Amino acid sequence: QKEVEQNSGPLSVPEGAIASLNCTYSDRGSQSFFWYRQYSGKSPELIMFIYSNGDKEDGRFTAQLNKASQYVSLLIRDSQPSDSATYLCAVILVRGNKLVFGAGTILRVKS
Amino acid sequence: GAGVSQTPSNKVTEKGKYVELRCDPISGHTALYWYRQSLGQGPEFLIYFQGTGAADDSGLPNDRFFAVRPEGSVSTLKIQRTERGDSAVYLCASSHGGWGTEAFFGQGTRLTVV
């Protein structure tokens, strides 16, 4: 089982719709979770972090964390073509304190 | 500096050669991480420094890979006897408080072994 799993996509949504990106992790003791956005040929850019169960909102982005079910998600409201990118979920593992990444989900927002 | 700086941005080397990749973290950041990313994959953890010491080097694939951070700031990733399979983008990130705090990435070094 991979430490962090994401559906590779691509996830295609029309402009203005809500994009929902999901991630599961294997280390039940993990406490810190991050979402990064990566444009083609560029390095990852941090967009959200969440440490507590529930929702955390920042502009058009909402991160959701459910530790009991070991999943974290990212919602993007009013999706724009400029949101088209690969979204990477990252988790700090209790075992070894490593920050590990999923393979990423490709998001395509069509105008 | 204003952000994490990595040099060179591109490196082409022949199989069997030695290469060094440099990372200059954000000023004041005590934690520094190296990752490797292949096309279509997420960043693969290599090594993590807290200050001058390697807190976790479990991701280094073999003994051809080594990294140092002698003064707790700039880090160098060293690869000996390069192989074509080492070709990838090598990413460096830093944070101010170690694990649990946000990490910010440099622009990466694209290494091509021919």
Side-chain angles (χ1 to χ4, degrees):
Chain A
Q1 182 184 10
K2 292 182 180 178
E3 293 159 328
V4 182
E5 297 209 52
Q6 296 181 255
N7 187 321
S8 62
L11 172 66
S12 292
V13 300
E15 184 175 357
I18 296 175
S20 177
L21 304 159
N22 300 311
C23 168
T24 59
Y25 59 95
S26 62
D27 188 344
R28 180 168 288 279
S30 295
Q31 299 293 324
S32 304
F33 309 88
F34 306 86
W35 282 100
Y36 285 80
R37 176 176 63 199
Q38 187 172 28
Y39 293 113
S40 181
K42 302 295 185 182
S43 59
E45 170 193 12
L46 179 70
I47 53 174
M48 290 284 290
F49 61 89
I50 186 167
Y51 304 142
S52 303
N53 273 331
D55 295 359
K56 179 182 179 183
E57 186 174 320
D58 184 0
R60 296 187 295 113
F61 299 98
T62 299
Q64 299 175 317
L65 174 60
N66 184 322
K67 292 182 181 179
S69 300
Q70 294 176 240
Y71 85 78
V72 57
S73 62
L74 179 70
L75 301 179
I76 306 175
R77 290 181 298 281
D78 188 24
S79 296
Q80 302 297 310
S82 59
D83 294 327
S84 297
T86 298
Y87 288 80
L88 297 163
C89 173
V91 176
I92 292 179
L93 303 182
V94 171
R95 294 177 285 106
N97 283 329
K98 296 189 296 184
L99 177 66
V100 295
F101 286 79
T105 298
I106 298 171
L107 173 66
R108 293 179 181 155
V109 181
K110 298 181 177 180
S111 57
Chain B
V4 179
S5 177
Q6 291 187 247
T7 54
S9 55
N10 280 282
K11 176 70 176 179
V12 180
T13 190
E14 292 181 347
K15 179 176 177 293
K17 297 292 188 182
Y18 167 84
V19 296
E20 290 189 350
L21 310 180
R22 176 189 168 105
C23 173
D24 197 342
I26 293 171
S27 180
H29 279 193
T30 58
L32 184 147
Y33 324 98
W34 283 100
Y35 291 86
R36 177 170 69 175
Q37 188 173 29
S38 300
L39 193 63
Q41 302 297 315
E44 173 194 5
F45 171 83
L46 296 177
I47 187 169
Y48 154 53
F49 288 91
Q50 184 61 258
T52 60
D56 187 332
D57 65 357
S58 61
L60 294 177
N62 51 60
D63 61 5
R64 296 187 297 106
F65 288 75
F66 189 70
V68 296
R69 195 186 185 197
E71 298 179 356
S73 178
V74 172
S75 176
T76 304
L77 178 65
K78 307 180 181 189
I79 310 174
Q80 298 177 323
R81 305 182 303 280
T82 51
E83 300 177 356
R84 293 195 177 88
D86 298 334
S87 297
V89 175
Y90 288 80
L91 294 165
C92 176
S94 71
S95 76
H96 65 78
W99 296 123
T101 58
E102 309 91 273
F104 299 92
F105 282 85
Q107 79 279 17
T109 293
R110 180 176 297 279
L111 175 66
T112 304
V113 182
V114 297

